[in-house]
Amino acid sequence: MSAGMNERTRLIIGDDGVRRLRDAKVVLCGCGAVGGYALEGLVRAGVGHIRVVDKDVFSESNMNRQILATTATVGRPKAEVACERARSINPVIDIESMDVLVSEDTIPAILDMGPDVLVDAIDTIGMKVRLLREACARRIRTFSSMGAALHTDPMAVRIAPVMDSSVCPVAARVRRELRGCDTSLITCVYSLERPVAVPTEKDENGKSILGSMPTIPAIFGMTLANEAIMYILGKK
């Protein structure tokens, strides 16, 4: 990484902080609306080793809220585009893509790098719960996004241990599914605002199509990145 890139960061965290970030290993699952912004924060902070996991490709409907979605990336794999974006910011970053779905079969390989931090930006709850369960079992420090869609109020965004979250329907289901697990290493980002709309449409896979503003997922993603960065720096 060039000295110029981390010059302003060093003024805040010093040489030791820059080194900690450069040496850190992060797994990021999901690089869409929330995850794309989380990646942006991690890369620009100088995190040196990142594994990006996402099976999806970009579509035109992603362009209202996903930083990696452009007319040039529609139809392309999200994880691949994420790596290109990261290298365009920091050419010496060690970043790899895994174009796989998060599942019981793939989670062992996803986590086999022994990450310092897991950032969970998955929006499919079943996959999210499987990932978080395995992270609990492996004692991996985890920062997880709850529901960012269907919200408009940035002042309602909160950070808390996952079992202390409230209001958010996604968080409620995650808490229920994680009962019996030691969740002490999972911090989540969620909203105290009740969903402002009820989904009525479904996609070709039967999944609800959720309305979303460009701003709230960005706040969620950057908040996740900041929490991960502060943990790596020993401030959390």
Side-chain angles (χ1 to χ4, degrees):
M1 188 193 317
S2 69
M5 176 178 166
N6 56 37
E7 175 185 357
R8 300 298 179 95
T9 309
R10 181 179 281 109
L11 294 174
I12 296 292
I13 65 176
D15 288 332
D16 181 63
V18 170
R19 178 191 57 77
R20 284 177 179 239
L21 291 171
R22 184 184 63 236
D23 293 345
K25 296 183 291 185
V26 175
V27 170
L28 169 63
C29 289
C31 54
V34 173
Y37 281 97
L39 177 71
E40 191 81 1
L42 293 169
V43 172
R44 290 187 184 275
V47 172
H49 309 274
I50 302 177
R51 173 177 286 171
V52 182
V53 184
D54 202 311
K55 180 63 175 173
D56 203 3
V57 299
F58 287 107
S59 65
E60 289 185 353
S61 66
N62 298 150
M63 290 176 62
N64 82 312
R65 67 197 184 284
Q66 299 191 17
I67 191 171
L68 299 175
T70 68
T71 55
T73 64
V74 168
R76 295 190 57 203
K78 290 184 177 181
E80 178 183 294
V81 171
C83 289
E84 289 179 3
R85 171 76 173 182
R87 294 189 187 104
S88 74
I89 297 166
N90 178 12
V92 301
I93 192 172
D94 172 25
I95 188 165
E96 64 170 313
S97 65
M98 290 187 69
D99 185 20
V100 299
L101 283 173
V102 175
S103 69
E104 290 183 4
D105 292 334
T106 61
I107 287 172
I110 289 169
L111 299 178
D112 69 4
M113 71 184 291
D116 300 297
V117 172
L118 168 64
V119 177
D120 159 40
I122 300 172
D123 58 8
T124 303
I125 299 178
M127 295 179 186
K128 178 185 292 289
V129 169
R130 291 185 183 95
L131 179 66
L132 294 178
R133 280 185 171 274
E134 186 62 23
C136 290
R138 295 183 182 224
R139 307 300 296 156
I140 299 171
R141 189 70 172 94
T142 300
F143 300 93
S144 178
S145 174
M146 300 294 109
L150 305 176
H151 296 300
T152 60
D153 184 2
M155 298 303 292
V157 178
R158 296 290 187 272
I159 306 163
V162 67
M163 289 304 182
D164 292 342
S165 59
S166 60
V167 180
C168 173
V170 172
R173 182 170 167 189
V174 169
R175 291 195 306 272
R176 184 168 62 251
E177 297 288 340
L178 289 180
R179 284 176 186 161
C181 296
D182 179 356
T183 61
S184 59
L185 296 183
I186 302 177
T187 297
C188 75
V189 179
Y190 68 104
S191 177
L192 289 175
E193 180 186 25
R194 297 194 180 279
V196 298
V198 177
T200 57
E201 299 181 43
K202 295 185 181 296
D203 64 17
E204 64 275 11
N205 299 312
K207 183 179 175 182
S208 293
I209 298 174
L210 305 179
S212 181
M213 298 295 289
T215 48
I216 304 303
I219 293 168
F220 269 61
M222 282 296 186
T223 302
L224 283 175
N226 194 70
E227 288 294 294
I229 290 163
M230 291 299 104
Y231 171 74
I232 292 165
L233 294 174
K235 299 181 182 297
K236 288 284 182 176

PDB file of all heavy atoms in Angstrom, residues 52-71:
ATOM      1  N   VAL A  52     -13.885 -12.281  -0.113  1.00  0.00           N
ATOM      2  CA  VAL A  52     -15.224 -11.818  -0.426  1.00  0.00           C
ATOM      3  C   VAL A  52     -16.043 -12.998  -0.946  1.00  0.00           C
ATOM      4  O   VAL A  52     -15.628 -13.675  -1.889  1.00  0.00           O
ATOM      5  CB  VAL A  52     -15.209 -10.701  -1.490  1.00  0.00           C
ATOM      6  CG1 VAL A  52     -16.624 -10.216  -1.765  1.00  0.00           C
ATOM      7  CG2 VAL A  52     -14.319  -9.551  -1.048  1.00  0.00           C
ATOM      8  N   VAL A  53     -17.194 -13.225  -0.333  1.00  0.00           N
ATOM      9  CA  VAL A  53     -18.038 -14.373  -0.680  1.00  0.00           C
ATOM     10  C   VAL A  53     -19.391 -13.887  -1.172  1.00  0.00           C
ATOM     11  O   VAL A  53     -20.100 -13.183  -0.450  1.00  0.00           O
ATOM     12  CB  VAL A  53     -18.234 -15.301   0.536  1.00  0.00           C
ATOM     13  CG1 VAL A  53     -19.038 -16.535   0.143  1.00  0.00           C
ATOM     14  CG2 VAL A  53     -16.895 -15.689   1.155  1.00  0.00           C
ATOM     15  N   ASP A  54     -19.735 -14.245  -2.398  1.00  0.00           N
ATOM     16  CA  ASP A  54     -21.055 -13.894  -2.942  1.00  0.00           C
ATOM     17  C   ASP A  54     -21.269 -14.673  -4.224  1.00  0.00           C
ATOM     18  O   ASP A  54     -20.387 -14.688  -5.092  1.00  0.00           O
ATOM     19  CB  ASP A  54     -21.165 -12.388  -3.216  1.00  0.00           C
ATOM     20  CG  ASP A  54     -22.610 -11.906  -3.272  1.00  0.00           C
ATOM     21  OD1 ASP A  54     -23.419 -12.538  -3.979  1.00  0.00           O
ATOM     22  OD2 ASP A  54     -22.919 -10.907  -2.604  1.00  0.00           O
ATOM     23  N   LYS A  55     -22.416 -15.311  -4.366  1.00  0.00           N
ATOM     24  CA  LYS A  55     -22.731 -16.098  -5.556  1.00  0.00           C
ATOM     25  C   LYS A  55     -23.519 -15.309  -6.596  1.00  0.00           C
ATOM     26  O   LYS A  55     -23.633 -15.717  -7.754  1.00  0.00           O
ATOM     27  CB  LYS A  55     -23.542 -17.349  -5.137  1.00  0.00           C
ATOM     28  CG  LYS A  55     -23.962 -18.278  -6.268  1.00  0.00           C
ATOM     29  CD  LYS A  55     -22.761 -18.894  -6.972  1.00  0.00           C
ATOM     30  CE  LYS A  55     -23.198 -19.898  -8.016  1.00  0.00           C
ATOM     31  NZ  LYS A  55     -22.058 -20.384  -8.820  1.00  0.00           N
ATOM     32  N   ASP A  56     -24.025 -14.147  -6.226  1.00  0.00           N
ATOM     33  CA  ASP A  56     -24.955 -13.398  -7.066  1.00  0.00           C
ATOM     34  C   ASP A  56     -24.237 -12.623  -8.171  1.00  0.00           C
ATOM     35  O   ASP A  56     -23.012 -12.432  -8.124  1.00  0.00           O
ATOM     36  CB  ASP A  56     -25.747 -12.437  -6.183  1.00  0.00           C
ATOM     37  CG  ASP A  56     -27.071 -12.017  -6.798  1.00  0.00           C
ATOM     38  OD1 ASP A  56     -27.403 -12.513  -7.888  1.00  0.00           O
ATOM     39  OD2 ASP A  56     -27.772 -11.205  -6.169  1.00  0.00           O
ATOM     40  N   VAL A  57     -25.016 -12.147  -9.135  1.00  0.00           N
ATOM     41  CA  VAL A  57     -24.528 -11.235 -10.166  1.00  0.00           C
ATOM     42  C   VAL A  57     -25.320  -9.937 -10.062  1.00  0.00           C
ATOM     43  O   VAL A  57     -26.441  -9.912  -9.544  1.00  0.00           O
ATOM     44  CB  VAL A  57     -24.659 -11.826 -11.583  1.00  0.00           C
ATOM     45  CG1 VAL A  57     -23.851 -13.105 -11.712  1.00  0.00           C
ATOM     46  CG2 VAL A  57     -26.121 -12.074 -11.939  1.00  0.00           C
ATOM     47  N   PHE A  58     -24.753  -8.866 -10.571  1.00  0.00           N
ATOM     48  CA  PHE A  58     -25.423  -7.573 -10.506  1.00  0.00           C
ATOM     49  C   PHE A  58     -26.550  -7.483 -11.529  1.00  0.00           C
ATOM     50  O   PHE A  58     -26.441  -7.989 -12.646  1.00  0.00           O
ATOM     51  CB  PHE A  58     -24.430  -6.432 -10.739  1.00  0.00           C
ATOM     52  CG  PHE A  58     -23.516  -6.198  -9.583  1.00  0.00           C
ATOM     53  CD1 PHE A  58     -22.185  -6.575  -9.651  1.00  0.00           C
ATOM     54  CD2 PHE A  58     -23.993  -5.622  -8.422  1.00  0.00           C
ATOM     55  CE1 PHE A  58     -21.340  -6.364  -8.578  1.00  0.00           C
ATOM     56  CE2 PHE A  58     -23.159  -5.406  -7.343  1.00  0.00           C
ATOM     57  CZ  PHE A  58     -21.824  -5.780  -7.423  1.00  0.00           C
ATOM     58  N   SER A  59     -27.638  -6.817 -11.115  1.00  0.00           N
ATOM     59  CA  SER A  59     -28.759  -6.553 -12.005  1.00  0.00           C
ATOM     60  C   SER A  59     -29.070  -5.053 -11.969  1.00  0.00           C
ATOM     61  O   SER A  59     -28.588  -4.323 -11.094  1.00  0.00           O
ATOM     62  CB  SER A  59     -29.990  -7.349 -11.558  1.00  0.00           C
ATOM     63  OG  SER A  59     -30.435  -6.901 -10.281  1.00  0.00           O
ATOM     64  N   GLU A  60     -29.887  -4.601 -12.904  1.00  0.00           N
ATOM     65  CA  GLU A  60     -30.229  -3.178 -12.949  1.00  0.00           C
ATOM     66  C   GLU A  60     -30.947  -2.737 -11.677  1.00  0.00           C
ATOM     67  O   GLU A  60     -30.804  -1.589 -11.251  1.00  0.00           O
ATOM     68  CB  GLU A  60     -31.089  -2.884 -14.168  1.00  0.00           C
ATOM     69  CG  GLU A  60     -30.328  -2.967 -15.479  1.00  0.00           C
ATOM     70  CD  GLU A  60     -31.176  -2.548 -16.668  1.00  0.00           C
ATOM     71  OE1 GLU A  60     -32.394  -2.315 -16.479  1.00  0.00           O
ATOM     72  OE2 GLU A  60     -30.620  -2.444 -17.777  1.00  0.00           O
ATOM     73  N   SER A  61     -31.701  -3.631 -11.057  1.00  0.00           N
ATOM     74  CA  SER A  61     -32.436  -3.265  -9.843  1.00  0.00           C
ATOM     75  C   SER A  61     -31.513  -3.005  -8.663  1.00  0.00           C
ATOM     76  O   SER A  61     -31.940  -2.440  -7.653  1.00  0.00           O
ATOM     77  CB  SER A  61     -33.447  -4.361  -9.477  1.00  0.00           C
ATOM     78  OG  SER A  61     -32.788  -5.560  -9.107  1.00  0.00           O
ATOM     79  N   ASN A  62     -30.249  -3.414  -8.774  1.00  0.00           N
ATOM     80  CA  ASN A  62     -29.277  -3.168  -7.697  1.00  0.00           C
ATOM     81  C   ASN A  62     -28.750  -1.738  -7.713  1.00  0.00           C
ATOM     82  O   ASN A  62     -28.156  -1.273  -6.730  1.00  0.00           O
ATOM     83  CB  ASN A  62     -28.071  -4.103  -7.822  1.00  0.00           C
ATOM     84  CG  ASN A  62     -28.399  -5.565  -7.700  1.00  0.00           C
ATOM     85  OD1 ASN A  62     -27.721  -6.404  -8.295  1.00  0.00           O
ATOM     86  ND2 ASN A  62     -29.435  -5.920  -6.952  1.00  0.00           N
ATOM     87  N   MET A  63     -28.949  -1.021  -8.804  1.00  0.00           N
ATOM     88  CA  MET A  63     -28.226   0.232  -9.006  1.00  0.00           C
ATOM     89  C   MET A  63     -28.695   1.372  -8.109  1.00  0.00           C
ATOM     90  O   MET A  63     -27.982   2.359  -7.938  1.00  0.00           O
ATOM     91  CB  MET A  63     -28.279   0.638 -10.483  1.00  0.00           C
ATOM     92  CG  MET A  63     -27.443  -0.296 -11.347  1.00  0.00           C
ATOM     93  SD  MET A  63     -27.540   0.056 -13.109  1.00  0.00           S
ATOM     94  CE  MET A  63     -26.855   1.699 -13.163  1.00  0.00           C
ATOM     95  N   ASN A  64     -29.880   1.239  -7.497  1.00  0.00           N
ATOM     96  CA  ASN A  64     -30.335   2.333  -6.629  1.00  0.00           C
ATOM     97  C   ASN A  64     -29.645   2.321  -5.277  1.00  0.00           C
ATOM     98  O   ASN A  64     -29.720   3.309  -4.534  1.00  0.00           O
ATOM     99  CB  ASN A  64     -31.854   2.280  -6.436  1.00  0.00           C
ATOM    100  CG  ASN A  64     -32.272   1.280  -5.365  1.00  0.00           C
ATOM    101  OD1 ASN A  64     -31.809   0.139  -5.364  1.00  0.00           O
ATOM    102  ND2 ASN A  64     -33.142   1.706  -4.462  1.00  0.00           N
ATOM    103  N   ARG A  65     -28.938   1.234  -4.918  1.00  0.00           N
ATOM    104  CA  ARG A  65     -28.423   1.156  -3.553  1.00  0.00           C
ATOM    105  C   ARG A  65     -27.095   0.414  -3.398  1.00  0.00           C
ATOM    106  O   ARG A  65     -26.557   0.369  -2.289  1.00  0.00           O
ATOM    107  CB  ARG A  65     -29.471   0.446  -2.673  1.00  0.00           C
ATOM    108  CG  ARG A  65     -29.650  -1.013  -3.032  1.00  0.00           C
ATOM    109  CD  ARG A  65     -30.936  -1.601  -2.475  1.00  0.00           C
ATOM    110  NE  ARG A  65     -31.045  -3.033  -2.740  1.00  0.00           N
ATOM    111  CZ  ARG A  65     -31.351  -3.575  -3.918  1.00  0.00           C
ATOM    112  NH1 ARG A  65     -31.570  -2.795  -4.959  1.00  0.00           N
ATOM    113  NH2 ARG A  65     -31.424  -4.887  -4.072  1.00  0.00           N
ATOM    114  N   GLN A  66     -26.550  -0.169  -4.448  1.00  0.00           N
ATOM    115  CA  GLN A  66     -25.321  -0.961  -4.318  1.00  0.00           C
ATOM    116  C   GLN A  66     -24.154  -0.234  -4.966  1.00  0.00           C
ATOM    117  O   GLN A  66     -24.166   0.017  -6.176  1.00  0.00           O
ATOM    118  CB  GLN A  66     -25.510  -2.347  -4.927  1.00  0.00           C
ATOM    119  CG  GLN A  66     -26.604  -3.135  -4.234  1.00  0.00           C
ATOM    120  CD  GLN A  66     -26.646  -4.594  -4.612  1.00  0.00           C
ATOM    121  OE1 GLN A  66     -25.691  -5.143  -5.148  1.00  0.00           O
ATOM    122  NE2 GLN A  66     -27.765  -5.249  -4.317  1.00  0.00           N
ATOM    123  N   ILE A  67     -23.155   0.095  -4.188  1.00  0.00           N
ATOM    124  CA  ILE A  67     -22.044   0.916  -4.671  1.00  0.00           C
ATOM    125  C   ILE A  67     -21.274   0.260  -5.805  1.00  0.00           C
ATOM    126  O   ILE A  67     -20.688   0.935  -6.647  1.00  0.00           O
ATOM    127  CB  ILE A  67     -21.093   1.276  -3.505  1.00  0.00           C
ATOM    128  CG1 ILE A  67     -20.086   2.341  -3.929  1.00  0.00           C
ATOM    129  CG2 ILE A  67     -20.404   0.031  -2.959  1.00  0.00           C
ATOM    130  CD1 ILE A  67     -19.259   2.897  -2.792  1.00  0.00           C
ATOM    131  N   LEU A  68     -21.301  -1.064  -5.870  1.00  0.00           N
ATOM    132  CA  LEU A  68     -20.572  -1.780  -6.914  1.00  0.00           C
ATOM    133  C   LEU A  68     -21.401  -1.995  -8.180  1.00  0.00           C
ATOM    134  O   LEU A  68     -20.882  -2.479  -9.184  1.00  0.00           O
ATOM    135  CB  LEU A  68     -20.095  -3.136  -6.389  1.00  0.00           C
ATOM    136  CG  LEU A  68     -19.142  -3.092  -5.191  1.00  0.00           C
ATOM    137  CD1 LEU A  68     -18.852  -4.501  -4.689  1.00  0.00           C
ATOM    138  CD2 LEU A  68     -17.848  -2.371  -5.553  1.00  0.00           C
ATOM    139  N   ALA A  69     -22.679  -1.650  -8.129  1.00  0.00           N
ATOM    140  CA  ALA A  69     -23.564  -1.837  -9.278  1.00  0.00           C
ATOM    141  C   ALA A  69     -23.536  -0.608 -10.178  1.00  0.00           C
ATOM    142  O   ALA A  69     -23.883   0.491  -9.759  1.00  0.00           O
ATOM    143  CB  ALA A  69     -24.989  -2.108  -8.806  1.00  0.00           C
ATOM    144  N   THR A  70     -23.089  -0.803 -11.413  1.00  0.00           N
ATOM    145  CA  THR A  70     -23.064   0.262 -12.422  1.00  0.00           C
ATOM    146  C   THR A  70     -23.529  -0.331 -13.744  1.00  0.00           C
ATOM    147  O   THR A  70     -23.703  -1.552 -13.866  1.00  0.00           O
ATOM    148  CB  THR A  70     -21.640   0.830 -12.597  1.00  0.00           C
ATOM    149  OG1 THR A  70     -20.808  -0.179 -13.201  1.00  0.00           O
ATOM    150  CG2 THR A  70     -21.039   1.266 -11.265  1.00  0.00           C
ATOM    151  N   THR A  71     -23.685   0.513 -14.743  1.00  0.00           N
ATOM    152  CA  THR A  71     -24.062  -0.017 -16.052  1.00  0.00           C
ATOM    153  C   THR A  71     -22.994  -0.974 -16.576  1.00  0.00           C
ATOM    154  O   THR A  71     -23.300  -1.889 -17.347  1.00  0.00           O
ATOM    155  CB  THR A  71     -24.261   1.118 -17.060  1.00  0.00           C
ATOM    156  OG1 THR A  71     -23.077   1.939 -17.108  1.00  0.00           O
ATOM    157  CG2 THR A  71     -25.456   1.981 -16.666  1.00  0.00           C
TER     158      THR A  71
END
